[in-house]
Amino acid sequence: YHVSGFHQGQTRYTLGWSHRGGLPGQVRLTAEAEYLSSRDYLDGFGESAGEYNRDLSESVVALARNWGKVNLSGQIKHLRDLDQSDDQTLQQLPEVHLEQIPVRVAGTPLFFGLQGRFANLWREQGEKGRRLSLRPTLSLPVRTGVGLEVEPSIAYLQRFYDVSDAGSRDQGLYEAS
C-alpha cells in the first residue's frame, strides 16, 4: 500500500509478503513479513482496532525439511517496536530447530526423542548472545486393557548461554511426566 501527499505531504507505505510453498529438495518455505515506512503508518491507515493499536511489527521467514522422523527448521524473525526505538529490541537472527520424533531403542519397549534449538540473540544496543538448548527424552508407552495408553517419560533440558558482557553459563533441568 502506498499513500503520498497525506499528513503534511509525507509519503507513507507498507510492504507485505505472505508465502507458503515448496523449494527444490523437499524444503518448505513460509513467510509472513511486513515493512512499514514509518512507525505511525498504522495510526492513520489501520482499519481495525487490532491493526491501528498494534505496538509491534513481526516478520518471519522460515525454511523446513523432514527426513523421516527428523525435522530441521530455521527461521529469521524480526521484531520492530512501533512505540519506541528498535535499538534494544531483542532479535532472534537466526533460530534453528532440530527435532527427532521418538523412535524405538534397539528392540526394547523404550523410545528415544531429541529436541535441539539454537538462537543467535542480537540487538543494536545492549547485550547480545547465543542460546543452545538440548532436550533428550526417554519414554515407555504402555497400553492398558481398556483402550488407554499411558506414556511415562523422563527428559533432561540443558541450556547453554554465551552472553556478550556476561560470558558463558549453562542451566539444566530434569523433567518427568
Side-chain angles (χ1 to χ4, degrees):
Y1 297 96
H2 176 266
V3 178
S4 62
F6 184 79
H7 189 59
Q8 300 172 351
Q10 294 180 346
T11 297
R12 302 242 167 91
Y13 60 92
T14 181
L15 302 170
W17 177 35
S18 181
H19 178 84
R20 285 171 184 41
L23 296 174
Q26 299 177 343
V27 174
R28 182 128 178 96
L29 170 67
T30 59
E32 290 295 331
E34 75 176 346
Y35 177 79
L36 303 171
S37 64
S38 65
R39 297 182 183 285
D40 62 350
Y41 175 87
L42 294 174
D43 290 343
F45 303 108
E47 295 181 1
S48 65
E51 276 185 5
Y52 60 74
N53 64 4
R54 276 187 6 202
D55 59 356
L56 190 67
S57 171
E58 179 178 281
S59 294
V60 179
V61 177
L63 295 168
R65 170 80 159 80
N66 292 321
W67 292 272
K69 295 190 178 218
V70 176
N71 176 273
L72 177 65
S73 61
Q75 71 177 16
I76 294 174
K77 180 191 292 186
H78 183 268
L79 302 174
R80 183 176 180 193
D81 189 328
L82 299 175
D83 288 336
Q84 56 192 357
S85 170
D86 275 343
D87 292 349
Q88 294 183 358
T89 302
L90 191 61
Q91 309 291 339
Q92 296 181 28
L93 300 170
E95 184 173 15
V96 179
H97 300 209
L98 175 70
E99 184 164 355
Q100 176 186 313
I101 295 173
V103 294
R104 187 176 298 271
V105 177
T108 70
L110 297 172
F111 283 77
F112 174 78
L114 177 66
Q115 295 174 331
R117 292 179 180 223
F118 170 79
N120 183 52
L121 307 170
W122 179 87
R123 64 178 125 209
E124 285 186 40
Q125 294 179 0
E127 290 184 332
K128 301 168 184 64
R130 288 166 293 288
R131 179 183 61 226
L132 174 65
S133 301
L134 297 172
R135 185 179 179 268
T137 305
L138 198 57
S139 61
L140 177 65
V142 178
R143 292 182 191 253
T144 66
V146 293
L148 181 66
E149 184 176 302
V150 177
E151 187 174 325
S153 68
I154 57 171
Y156 183 72
L157 174 61
Q158 180 70 47
R159 289 190 181 127
F160 301 94
Y161 298 91
D162 180 25
V163 180
S164 60
D165 296 338
S168 299
R169 65 182 172 96
D170 63 285
Q171 175 182 10
L173 175 68
Y174 288 98
E175 302 175 16
S177 62

